[in-house]
């Protein structure tokens, strides 16, 4: 079959022939309709992610909208390595069969469900815990996951979204989605001052961090406080991505002076059952246009161009048959 193929760590995907998958052990063969090239898919294919198998060549891709043998249009994934979803066909678990809402756009679902759920899960959990979100700080609002995080926070009733990132075009998209934006420079000291000014003394109820590294250190500095009085805030700091780097220093005095909890959210730490339970609800939000997903579409035969577009960022690159 035709597929996107990554020949080795760090190599771009190319269009070529790959052995057909075999449906066994409760799996079924389905046909590609649309699949997004998400940062997770690229990180796994490059061997950078903790979930990487370390074996190549492989077909990249973590999830997709596909057509089942009975004609149903479904969202699916969990393809076994070395196979992925950027291929004409894939063998997927028969039990993971989530039909798309009637009239929904497969490209928007494929492009938005993965990045949107990255923030939807911690935001809904925090809203349920507190009864309301308060202010939300998004580090990496210029990426697709960050942009959808701003939209998700607004849907869940946040009082204010502060979005930080480096891409001018991405900051414009975030501002159009209702976020107050902060342009990051990569200098933790300068960025801390800018973030503190944007927060204006208000502690966020939740921080969604898609960047880590210097951006996280800037946020830690901006969230710091002095004095011995009891902290009246309750901050949930959720580490979701590491687009800026894998390491960040956490100041000891921040942990002692503030009510702040730092935790991660990702494959392995997040409840898979909880994610699957929320997928239909989030698909409905995309289908009805309550969540808007900018996309750019490429045929499978142009996957090298799609891969390069995904590396540049911006609207999510989505691959379709052809």
């Amino acid at each position: 079959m035709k597929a996107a193929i990554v020949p080795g760590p760090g190599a771009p995907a190319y269009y070529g022939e790959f052995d057909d998958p075999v449906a066994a052990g409760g799996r079924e063969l389905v046909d590609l309709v649309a699949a997004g090239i998400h940062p997770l898919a690229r990180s796994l294919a490059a061997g950078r992610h903790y979930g990487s198998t370390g074996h190549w060549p492989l077909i990249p891709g973590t999830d997709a909208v596909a057509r089942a043998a009975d004609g149903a249009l479904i969202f699916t994934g969990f393809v076994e390595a070395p196979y992925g979803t950027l291929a004409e066909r894939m063998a997927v678990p028969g039990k993971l069969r989530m039909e798309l809402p009637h009239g929904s756009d497969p490209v928007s679902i494929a492009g938005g469900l993965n990045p949107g759920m990255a923030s939807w899960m911690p935001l809904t959990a925090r809203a349920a815990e507190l009864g309301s979100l308060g202010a939300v700080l998004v580090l990496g609002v210029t990426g697709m996951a960050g942009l959808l995080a701003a939209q998700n926070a607004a849907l869940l009733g946040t009082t204010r979204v502060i979005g930080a990132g480096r891409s001018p075009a991405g900051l414009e998209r975030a501002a159009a989605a209702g976020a107050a934006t902060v342009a990051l420079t990569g200098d933790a000291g300068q960025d801390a001052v800018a973030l503190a000014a944007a927060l204006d003394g208000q502690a966020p109820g939740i921080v969604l961090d898609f960047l880590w590294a210097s951006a996280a250190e800037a946020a830690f500095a901006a969230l710091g406080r002095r004095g011995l009085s009891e902290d009246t805030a309750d901050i949930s700091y959720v580490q979701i991505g590491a687009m800026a780097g894998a390491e960040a220093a956490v100041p000891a005095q921040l942990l002692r002076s503030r009510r702040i909890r730092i935790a991660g959210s990702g494959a392995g730490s997040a409840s898979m059952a909880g994610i699957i339970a929320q997928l239909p609800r989030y698909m409905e939000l995309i289908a009805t246009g309550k969540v808007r997903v900018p996309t750019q579409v490429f045929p499978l035969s142009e996957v090298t161009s799609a891969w390069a577009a995904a590396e540049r960022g911006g609207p999510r690159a989505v691959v379709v048959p052809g």
Side-chain angles (χ1 to χ4, degrees), residues 3-307:
I5 302 170
V6 174
Y14 70 90
Y15 181 64
E17 290 282 347
F18 207 89
D19 290 342
D20 279 89
V22 176
R27 291 180 174 266
E28 63 175 318
L29 285 176
V30 296
D31 295 325
L32 173 68
V33 174
I37 303 180
H38 310 301
L40 173 60
R42 292 188 288 111
S43 183
L44 285 166
R48 296 191 303 266
H49 194 272
Y50 57 83
S52 302
T53 64
H55 298 288
W56 292 269
L58 57 78
I59 298 174
T62 55
D63 50 74
V65 174
R67 182 76 65 182
D70 61 6
L73 198 60
I74 61 172
F75 178 79
T76 189
F78 296 99
V79 180
E80 292 184 328
Y83 292 93
T85 55
L86 296 177
E88 290 180 319
R89 288 175 294 282
M90 61 202 82
V92 300
K95 292 183 179 179
L96 186 59
R97 168 183 274 266
M98 283 164 281
E99 295 197 15
L100 268 62
H102 179 72
S104 58
D105 174 26
V107 168
S108 294
I109 297 290
L113 204 54
N114 178 293
M117 289 296 291
S119 62
W120 183 256
M121 295 303 295
L123 284 170
T124 53
R126 187 63 168 159
E129 178 186 5
L130 296 180
S132 61
L133 280 177
V136 176
L137 172 60
V138 181
L139 300 179
V141 77
T142 54
M144 183 56 61
L147 175 62
L148 297 185
Q151 296 185 47
N152 291 343
L155 286 170
L156 292 169
T158 183
T159 57
R160 185 178 179 223
V161 177
I162 302 102
R166 299 184 70 170
S167 162
L171 289 172
E172 287 183 12
R173 286 190 291 269
T181 59
V182 177
L184 299 179
T185 66
D187 180 289
Q190 293 182 30
D191 292 343
V193 172
L195 288 171
L199 288 167
D200 193 25
Q202 179 184 17
I206 184 169
V207 180
L208 301 171
D209 185 350
F210 298 95
L211 298 177
W212 204 235
S214 65
E217 293 173 352
F220 296 151
L223 293 171
R225 66 187 289 268
R226 301 190 68 83
L228 300 177
S229 60
E230 181 179 348
D231 187 18
T232 58
D234 184 3
I235 305 168
S236 176
Y237 193 108
V238 186
Q239 203 286 317
I240 305 174
M243 298 301 290
E247 305 291 336
V250 183
Q253 67 179 29
L254 174 68
L255 300 179
R256 301 202 308 272
S257 65
R258 301 230 68 157
R259 288 180 179 170
I260 184 169
R261 292 168 289 171
I262 302 176
S265 180
S269 66
S271 162
M272 192 55 62
I275 293 172
I276 291 173
Q278 286 283 353
L279 285 174
R281 181 183 179 191
Y282 201 73
M283 279 198 288
E284 190 68 33
L285 292 174
I286 296 175
T288 57
K290 292 180 180 178
V291 171
R292 298 177 180 271
V293 184
T295 58
Q296 46 188 330
V297 180
F298 297 83
L300 181 59
S301 59
E302 296 179 14
V303 70
T304 301
S305 296
W307 200 261

